[in-house]
Amino acid sequence: MSEKAFDKELGKWSAWHDTGVPLRLGVSSCLLGEEVRFDGGHARNSFMMDVLGNWFEWVPVCPEVGIGMGVPRPTIRLFQNDKDVRLIAPSTREDFTVRMGTYAAKKVKELQKTDLDGYILKKGSPSCGMERIKVYDERGVRRRDAAGLYAAVLIERWPTLPVEEEGRLNDVDIRENFIERVFCRNRWRTLIRRGLTRRRLVAFHTAHKLLLRSHNEAGYRRSGRLVGLAGQIPDGELFTLYEAELYRVMRTRATKRRHVNVLEHALGYMKKLLPSREKREILAAIGDYGAGLIPLIVPLTLLRFNIHRYEIDYLAGQIYFNPHPKELMLRNHV
Ligand code: SF4
């Protein structure tokens, strides 16, 4: 990777990833088609297997098999008692709370050593579900706002890891945001593996400016101020602060409104170069995208064409225009 602070090559996602080091996602095993569910079945997810599977290496985990419950096994549920929430098999009254908590803490520690880029969980499971899991009491369903026991430990102990639920990935905005965070995390980790220096931090931040703005304008400014501290505080402290801010910014979802702001900002770089009719057409495409009439890929393609036509190196070096493989087609939906 170039050490130049400003380099149009750095606008390509592939410049930041090492081909020999795959992007790696933790996953609930049943989503890969493994027959580990309580009834001996699976929950194969075709988008994950057939699309994401071409780009990611999976690290499968089935926490219920992991604590020795076997397949098939009795169903388990979250139960609220006077003091806390327990993980219990209603048919046998066996309580798995402690076993699952201990297993989860140990497993997360182990996974942290493998340095995942993200994690996809199975929805609706009292072990793996990320949200809206039913909690029962003696009268029936008491509420639906819990996380599965394993998922809760994963999220609490590894707050910087991008985590999503397979069901939520059907939402195109959630899907793109998750994959964008995963690729961004991998780029940062690759940078560290290659050897992080102040110059490389500046190059990374420069290439990510528009991407960060599309997620969180205030966070983008904060991260810029941190980069401005290079040389004034110890490098180790600087890199740690920047990493925390980077992950915080990327956690905020990029919305249509934020994309429109970034697209208009990019258009500003070519407003003196473009014939006014073409400028109006791009503006109209940005407006149509903002109104939900056309996908993001349309104004992006128009801008990209003109970035190369007029050789605007600053924009050519923005990862925003090319943050993940186009084959994933994440920006092709309305
Ligand atoms: S949801 Fe989790 S615990 Fe249940 S079968 Fe799938 S991987 Fe195993």
Side-chain angles (χ1 to χ4, degrees), residues 28-30 36-38 61-65 73 122 125 127-128:
S28 298
S29 306
C30 55
V36 291
R37 298 199 72 201
F38 69 97
V61 179
C62 176
E64 292 175 19
V65 169
R73 56 184 175 272
K122 169 83 180 73
S125 156
S127 304
C128 288

Side-chain angles (χ1 to χ4, degrees), residues 32 94 143 192 194 200 226 245 262 311 326 331:
L32 300 185
E94 195 173 354
R143 52 191 170 88
I192 292 173
R194 290 173 180 178
R200 286 181 170 184
L226 283 173
E245 191 58 55
V262 169
E311 298 183 342
K326 60 176 182 285
R331 293 170 157 190

Side-chain angles (χ1 to χ4, degrees), residues 69-258:
M69 290 186 73
V71 182
R73 56 184 175 272
T75 53
I76 49 177
R77 287 177 175 173
L78 296 177
F79 275 90
Q80 178 77 56
N81 66 17
D82 294 343
K83 288 189 235 123
D84 54 10
V85 173
R86 315 294 300 179
L87 186 64
I88 286 172
S91 59
T92 61
R93 305 303 298 167
E94 195 173 354
D95 187 331
F96 293 96
T97 315
V98 174
R99 237 186 291 172
M100 183 60 85
T102 308
Y103 170 83
K106 195 163 158 243
K107 191 72 191 173
V108 170
K109 221 179 217 172
E110 188 185 308
L111 291 171
Q112 282 170 333
K113 289 188 195 134
T114 69
D115 248 347
L116 301 179
D117 296 302
Y119 208 116
I120 302 180
L121 291 160
K122 169 83 180 73
K123 74 169 180 185
S125 156
S127 304
C128 288
M130 192 174 103
E131 58 178 28
R132 293 196 303 275
I133 304 302
K134 293 177 196 160
V135 180
Y136 293 77
D137 63 13
E138 59 287 347
R139 290 188 300 278
V141 178
R142 177 166 169 168
R143 52 191 170 88
R144 296 164 193 266
D145 61 356
L149 221 57
Y150 172 78
V153 173
L154 173 73
I155 292 164
E156 190 206 313
R157 303 221 171 175
W158 206 348
T160 59
L161 186 72
V163 178
E164 258 310 339
E165 225 176 46
E166 125 269 1
R168 282 166 50 92
L169 292 179
N170 292 327
D171 178 310
V172 291
D173 288 336
I174 292 177
R175 179 189 296 184
E176 201 213 340
N177 271 272
F178 173 67
I179 299 297
E180 208 164 78
R181 284 178 71 197
V182 165
F183 270 84
C184 186
R185 181 181 169 86
N186 186 271
R187 286 193 291 275
W188 177 254
R189 295 198 310 103
T190 304
L191 188 68
I192 292 173
R193 196 171 50 245
R194 290 173 180 178
L196 185 50
T197 62
R198 275 185 234 156
R199 285 175 64 92
R200 286 181 170 184
L201 175 69
V202 172
F204 181 93
H205 181 70
T206 304
H208 283 75
K209 280 184 175 180
L210 293 191
L211 186 76
L212 297 178
R213 289 183 80 158
S214 72
H215 282 262
N216 184 329
E217 180 76 30
Y220 153 71
R221 290 184 197 289
R222 280 195 303 272
S223 57
R225 281 196 291 275
L226 283 173
V227 174
L229 294 176
Q232 296 172 46
I233 60 173
D235 286 354
E237 188 184 336
L238 173 69
F239 301 154
T240 304
L241 288 171
Y242 186 85
E243 178 181 278
E245 191 58 55
L246 173 71
Y247 290 152
R248 199 165 26 237
V249 172
M250 292 302 292
R251 257 205 305 273
T252 314
R253 206 182 308 167
T255 59
K256 273 200 172 51
R257 187 178 53 76
R258 293 192 184 107

